[in-house]
Amino acid sequence: MDFTQLYETFSALENPGFWQDAYMKFYRAWFEADRWKQYFEGLATTIQVTVMALIIGVVLGVVVALIRTAHDQQRLGNRNPFLGVVNFFCKVYVTIIRGTPMMVQLLIVGLVIFASNRNKTMIGALSLGINSGAYVAEIIRGGLMSLDPGQNEAGRSLGLGYFDTMRFIVIPQAFKAILPSLGNEFITLLKDTSLISVIGGKEIVYFAQAVITRTYETMYPYLITAVMYLILVLIFTWLQGKLERRLRQSDRR
Amino acid sequence: MIDVKHLSKSFGDHLVLDDISEHIYPGEKVVIIGPSGSGKSTFLRCLNLLETPTSGSITFEGTEITDPKVNIDKIRQQMGMVFQHFNLFPNMTIRRNITLAPVRTKLMSQAEADDTATALLKRVGLEDKADAYPAQLSGGQKQRIAIVRALAMRPKVMLFDEPTSALDPEMVGEVLDVMKELAQEGMTMVVVTHEMGFAREVGSRVLFMDGGHILEQNSPKEFFANPQHERTQLFLSKVL
């Protein structure tokens, strides 16, 4: 007996019981008219938006963090004025992004700045990336500032340049230290992609709501959405754990 | 070899080094002693520009390194430095700690650098630690590796910033032995230390610093037997 037959059997009942009723609602939210394909279409968009926002966020975050750290670690009485100006803009960026709600930023970017652009999914990704960049910048800055300055000094005293010292000594250690918070930020970002439905981005929530307008039944579409996000986050957490274990190699005693 | 002229350094409005002029000759083992806060570490760190002097000039082998146009990385490749807290790179094996700089600065190929590392590690009796990570070593072992790491660049001068101050007492000896051996081979050394025994035995000249000045300098024998300055006498009476 397949799902459709079971559904038809239950629909024929005059007084369906609790589980039979639940099954019928789930059937309409998932199987009927091949609706499950829509959720997966939304899932694909969610992953795509997350990856794009992640790339934008990490690039922005690294640049802002390097500028801000370079500025803050200058020695007294020998400040670079150009760095001061760039640092000021970085600070304004971080302040505005952290000081306003994600949802409001999304509405402004999607419906004010890019009001006439139809590709709301891409705009959503851009907006999320800009948002994430500010948080990633602060996380990376924390990692760079927490590292013993002696590590940088040791690298430079051996005659290595700024970029080699960063690349081989500072960044690998900072990255290891910030990986848990970075993972946390990426999980937040992944879940925040659900917000782009408010400007018309076609991710999972968007399709769940489309199903709801057809079936007039809210519980299962939203439950399905929640489960899909949960599975994504679990996969990501598992990958992060694997990476952390690999990086702990040098902690052996 | 290193010529320091009218060197001053202040942090904010706190003057740490006040108009110091000094010359370090090839082959010398200059030992700098003095109370904490006297500016001796800052003086040492100015020599390879880890601290940027506020005024004055430093010349290394005829190149004025305080000139902003000088490529300081090239200069630092010829000046080894050993730190109080070792500052080994914890994310790398010992071998990579030693070979990273010679290879990245194109001084050696990876194979040459590996051979150099093996030879140097053998000299300090740690050849079996090449594939260990810094976290697996004792303090004395770490500091010997740090010395080896600096030596792998074949420096012309070695700067030591309190190399034994962070060690357990029983590990001080093994590090000093390596330094003594290095001194016997004729390496030019500038050592900031609290080890008076080392100063007496190895130093060719002792500088006493206090309040950002070099108050007194002499051969170790004369310096310890016959301190001239009142402040020096007071200091020595407390530490000897």
Side-chain angles (χ1 to χ4, degrees):
Chain A
M1 180 137 83
D2 71 11
F3 297 111
T4 312
Q5 276 177 314
L6 190 64
Y7 173 71
E8 279 160 2
T9 316
F10 288 163
S11 330
L13 295 173
E14 208 151 301
N15 281 316
F18 177 80
W19 292 108
Q20 285 150 347
D21 185 54
Y23 175 78
M24 284 190 290
K25 283 178 178 162
F26 177 74
Y27 180 88
R28 282 196 293 272
W30 183 258
F31 291 110
E32 199 175 71
D34 277 345
R35 290 193 175 116
W36 58 273
K37 283 184 183 161
Q38 296 190 31
Y39 294 104
F40 280 105
E41 198 185 325
L43 181 72
T45 309
T46 294
I47 293 171
Q48 198 188 342
V49 169
T50 308
V51 171
M52 279 184 49
L54 203 80
I55 293 168
I56 298 170
V58 167
V59 170
L60 263 177
V62 168
V63 171
V64 171
L66 285 179
I67 291 171
R68 295 215 51 204
T69 314
H71 177 267
D72 289 355
Q73 287 183 341
Q74 287 180 104
R75 301 246 171 223
L76 275 168
N78 145 37
R79 295 205 177 272
N80 179 339
F82 173 71
L83 207 52
V85 174
V86 185
N87 179 61
F88 174 76
F89 284 111
C90 290
K91 259 172 120 166
V92 170
Y93 161 66
V94 172
T95 308
I96 291 177
I97 296 297
R98 291 205 305 181
T100 56
M102 168 80 243
M103 178 81 124
V104 176
Q105 291 164 21
L106 202 55
L107 291 171
I108 291 175
V109 175
L111 304 179
V112 180
I113 299 174
F114 291 104
S116 56
N117 191 317
R118 309 301 299 273
N119 194 346
K120 295 300 183 197
T121 308
M122 289 303 118
I123 290 166
L126 177 71
S127 182
L128 279 168
I130 293 172
N131 177 277
S132 183
Y135 291 95
V136 171
E138 288 300 279
I139 293 171
I140 295 177
R141 191 169 74 93
L144 292 174
M145 300 286 270
S146 70
L147 193 65
D148 174 13
Q151 288 291 313
N152 182 48
E153 287 176 358
R156 299 307 301 273
S157 79
L158 287 164
L160 292 171
Y162 172 81
F163 290 103
D164 269 3
T165 306
M166 277 289 168
R167 179 174 156 200
F168 294 103
I169 297 158
V170 176
I171 291 177
Q173 292 183 59
F175 180 70
K176 187 172 139 188
I178 64 174
L179 196 59
S181 359
L182 217 47
N184 213 5
E185 170 57 25
F186 291 161
I187 287 171
T188 307
L189 173 65
L190 172 68
K191 293 185 297 181
D192 278 354
T193 57
S194 62
L195 290 174
I196 71 169
S197 60
V198 301
I199 60 165
K202 297 183 173 52
E203 43 64 76
I204 309 180
V205 176
Y206 176 91
F207 287 106
Q209 286 171 338
V211 170
I212 290 167
T213 57
R214 298 224 161 233
T215 61
Y216 306 106
E217 166 53 52
T218 48
M219 183 166 102
Y220 287 95
Y222 284 142
L223 269 184
I224 290 166
T225 308
V227 169
M228 288 180 116
Y229 274 109
L230 184 61
I231 291 171
L232 278 183
V233 170
L234 287 177
I235 293 172
F236 184 79
T237 311
W238 175 73
L239 285 173
Q240 186 194 342
K242 268 184 86 142
L243 183 59
E244 275 182 41
R245 276 192 295 283
R246 251 188 65 185
L247 291 177
R248 270 205 296 267
Q249 201 186 15
S250 62
D251 295 344
R252 279 180 300 151
R253 272 167 203 278
Chain B
M1 184 171 228
I2 305 177
D3 190 44
V4 180
K5 281 203 183 90
H6 304 296
L7 173 67
S8 292
K9 171 72 187 175
S10 43
F11 294 108
D13 47 11
H14 176 52
L15 189 62
V16 184
L17 297 178
D18 187 7
D19 194 22
I20 292 184
S21 294
E22 193 52 63
H23 195 95
I24 290 152
Y25 296 91
E28 265 199 310
K29 290 96 184 78
V30 177
V31 180
I32 305 173
I33 62 175
S36 41
S38 59
K40 52 193 192 313
S41 277
T42 307
F43 175 69
L44 190 78
R45 288 159 58 84
C46 278
L47 295 182
N48 69 351
L49 250 53
L50 278 186
E51 299 290 352
T52 315
T54 310
S55 65
S57 75
I58 299 166
T59 307
F60 175 68
E61 303 230 291
T63 313
E64 192 184 316
I65 64 173
T66 34
D67 181 349
K69 286 193 286 289
V70 166
N71 181 353
I72 189 63
D73 296 334
K74 286 270 171 255
I75 303 292
R76 286 179 179 145
Q77 287 165 23
Q78 305 168 51
M79 304 171 104
M81 184 157 197
V82 176
F83 299 86
Q84 181 177 2
H85 295 286
F86 334 126
N87 299 355
L88 293 180
F89 309 131
N91 55 326
M92 302 174 198
T93 61
I94 297 306
R95 192 195 312 281
R96 191 149 160 73
N97 261 278
I98 300 169
T99 60
L100 178 72
V103 172
R104 289 302 301 177
T105 56
K106 303 200 166 58
L107 184 70
M108 300 174 193
S109 68
Q110 184 68 49
E112 279 177 89
D114 284 340
D115 290 345
T116 309
T118 310
L120 284 168
L121 283 172
K122 207 167 270 173
R123 244 182 69 180
V124 297
L126 291 171
E127 65 268 35
D128 55 327
K129 299 292 185 195
D131 294 312
Y133 283 95
Q136 295 162 288
L137 305 182
S138 73
Q141 290 173 330
K142 281 185 204 171
Q143 194 60 298
R144 282 186 280 160
I145 301 286
I147 295 173
V148 162
R149 180 176 70 176
L151 287 177
M153 290 298 290
R154 301 194 191 118
K156 292 177 178 157
V157 55
M158 287 283 285
L159 311 175
F160 291 86
D161 189 4
E162 303 199 26
T164 56
S165 298
L167 295 176
D168 286 348
E170 51 178 343
M171 291 173 181
V172 170
E174 61 192 60
V175 171
L176 290 182
D177 286 344
V178 173
M179 290 170 65
K180 280 177 203 163
E181 211 179 291
L182 200 58
Q184 278 155 17
E185 286 165 20
M187 175 65 78
T188 310
M189 293 162 71
V190 183
V191 186
V192 171
T193 187
H194 295 295
E195 293 293 326
M196 297 304 149
F198 178 84
R200 208 189 305 244
E201 191 182 336
V202 181
S204 54
R205 185 153 58 110
V206 179
L207 307 184
F208 178 76
M209 284 186 72
D210 189 32
H213 299 273
I214 297 174
L215 285 187
E216 182 171 353
Q217 57 172 298
N218 216 328
S219 70
K221 212 174 149 194
E222 273 299 300
F223 179 85
F224 287 107
N226 232 335
Q228 300 299 312
H229 205 283
E230 201 180 315
R231 185 71 187 87
T232 319
Q233 290 162 4
L234 183 70
F235 178 77
L236 288 179
S237 74
K238 280 181 185 159
V239 296
L240 288 182

